[in-house]
Amino acid sequence: MNDVKLEWRFFTIVEWKKEEQYLREQHKKGWEFVKLNLLGFYHFKKCEPKDVIYQLDYNPESVTNKEDYIQMFEDCGWEYLQ
Protein backbone atom coordinates (compact mmCIF):
# COMPACT_ATOMS: atom_id res chain seq x y z
CA MET A 1 0.00 0.00 0.00
CA ASN A 2 1.21 3.50 -0.84
CA ASP A 3 2.13 5.79 2.05
CA VAL A 4 2.05 8.93 -0.08
CA LYS A 5 -0.52 10.38 -2.43
CA LEU A 6 -0.40 13.15 -4.99
CA GLU A 7 -3.58 14.79 -6.30
CA TRP A 8 -4.06 17.64 -8.73
CA ARG A 9 -6.77 20.09 -7.71
CA PHE A 10 -7.47 23.69 -8.56
CA PHE A 11 -9.20 26.11 -6.22
CA THR A 12 -9.52 29.83 -6.83
CA ILE A 13 -8.97 32.19 -3.93
CA VAL A 14 -12.73 32.68 -3.59
CA GLU A 15 -13.09 28.91 -3.12
CA TRP A 16 -10.99 28.88 0.05
CA LYS A 17 -13.76 27.27 2.11
CA LYS A 18 -14.02 24.45 -0.46
CA GLU A 19 -10.27 23.96 -0.23
CA GLU A 20 -10.36 23.81 3.58
CA GLN A 21 -13.16 21.24 3.39
CA TYR A 22 -11.21 19.19 0.82
CA LEU A 23 -8.18 19.03 3.12
CA ARG A 24 -10.36 18.13 6.11
CA GLU A 25 -12.07 15.31 4.19
CA GLN A 26 -8.72 13.93 3.05
CA HIS A 27 -7.53 13.79 6.67
CA LYS A 28 -10.74 12.04 7.72
CA LYS A 29 -9.91 9.43 5.05
CA GLY A 30 -6.39 8.96 6.46
CA TRP A 31 -4.40 11.38 4.27
CA GLU A 32 -2.51 14.17 6.02
CA PHE A 33 -1.73 17.26 3.95
CA VAL A 34 2.02 17.83 3.54
CA LYS A 35 2.38 20.56 0.93
CA LEU A 36 0.96 22.16 -2.20
CA ASN A 37 3.20 22.98 -5.13
CA LEU A 38 2.70 25.84 -7.57
CA LEU A 39 1.19 23.56 -10.22
CA GLY A 40 -1.73 22.60 -7.97
CA PHE A 41 -0.46 19.20 -6.82
CA TYR A 42 -1.45 18.38 -3.25
CA HIS A 43 0.96 16.07 -1.44
CA PHE A 44 -0.40 13.81 1.30
CA LYS A 45 1.04 11.13 3.57
CA LYS A 46 -0.85 8.21 5.08
CA CYS A 47 -2.03 8.78 8.65
CA GLU A 48 -4.64 7.65 11.12
CA PRO A 49 -8.03 9.03 10.06
CA LYS A 50 -8.87 12.02 12.22
CA ASP A 51 -11.10 15.08 12.03
CA VAL A 52 -8.57 17.89 11.61
CA ILE A 53 -9.56 21.45 10.78
CA TYR A 54 -7.38 23.18 8.21
CA GLN A 55 -7.45 26.98 8.06
CA LEU A 56 -6.14 28.91 5.09
CA ASP A 57 -4.65 32.34 5.67
CA TYR A 58 -3.83 34.68 2.81
CA ASN A 59 -1.76 37.33 4.54
CA PRO A 60 0.54 39.44 2.34
CA GLU A 61 2.50 40.48 5.45
CA SER A 62 3.48 36.86 6.10
CA VAL A 63 6.24 37.05 3.50
CA THR A 64 7.95 40.12 4.93
CA ASN A 65 7.56 39.04 8.58
CA LYS A 66 7.70 35.26 8.17
CA GLU A 67 9.54 34.53 11.42
CA ASP A 68 7.03 36.52 13.49
CA TYR A 69 4.15 35.06 11.50
CA ILE A 70 5.21 31.47 12.19
CA GLN A 71 5.85 32.30 15.86
CA MET A 72 2.29 33.65 16.13
CA PHE A 73 0.97 30.29 14.89
CA GLU A 74 3.11 28.38 17.40
CA ASP A 75 2.00 30.70 20.23
CA CYS A 76 -1.62 29.87 19.39
CA GLY A 77 -0.90 26.13 19.41
CA TRP A 78 -1.33 25.83 15.64
CA GLU A 79 0.95 24.09 13.20
CA TYR A 80 2.20 26.19 10.29
CA LEU A 81 2.40 24.04 7.17
CA GLN A 82 3.33 26.18 4.23
Side-chain angles (χ1 to χ4, degrees):
M1 182 169 183
N2 240 350
D3 289 340
V4 294
K5 176 170 86 163
L6 186 65
E7 280 193 4
W8 183 85
R9 295 292 301 256
F10 178 77
F11 296 97
T12 65
I13 195 147
V14 296
E15 296 175 302
W16 61 275
K17 280 284 191 196
K18 270 176 90 171
E19 187 175 7
E20 287 179 348
Q21 190 59 36
Y22 165 71
L23 295 173
R24 185 177 188 178
E25 291 302 319
Q26 290 300 313
H27 210 117
K28 284 181 181 180
K29 294 176 184 175
W31 292 104
E32 179 182 351
F33 173 69
V34 175
K35 69 179 180 175
L36 169 65
N37 72 20
L38 293 176
L39 300 174
F41 286 98
Y42 288 78
H43 298 250
F44 298 93
K45 68 179 178 182
K46 193 76 177 147
C47 67
E48 288 295 316
K50 188 175 176 183
D51 190 11
V52 172
I53 296 173
Y54 288 85
Q55 297 280 264
L56 303 178
D57 184 26
Y58 297 102
N59 181 352
E61 296 297 314
S62 67
V63 175
T64 56
N65 302 312
K66 191 165 187 165
E67 223 174 87
D68 293 337
Y69 188 69
I70 292 173
Q71 185 61 53
M72 176 191 71
F73 276 79
E74 290 175 0
D75 291 347
C76 291
W78 305 334
E79 180 182 356
Y80 176 84
L81 296 176
Q82 184 175 357

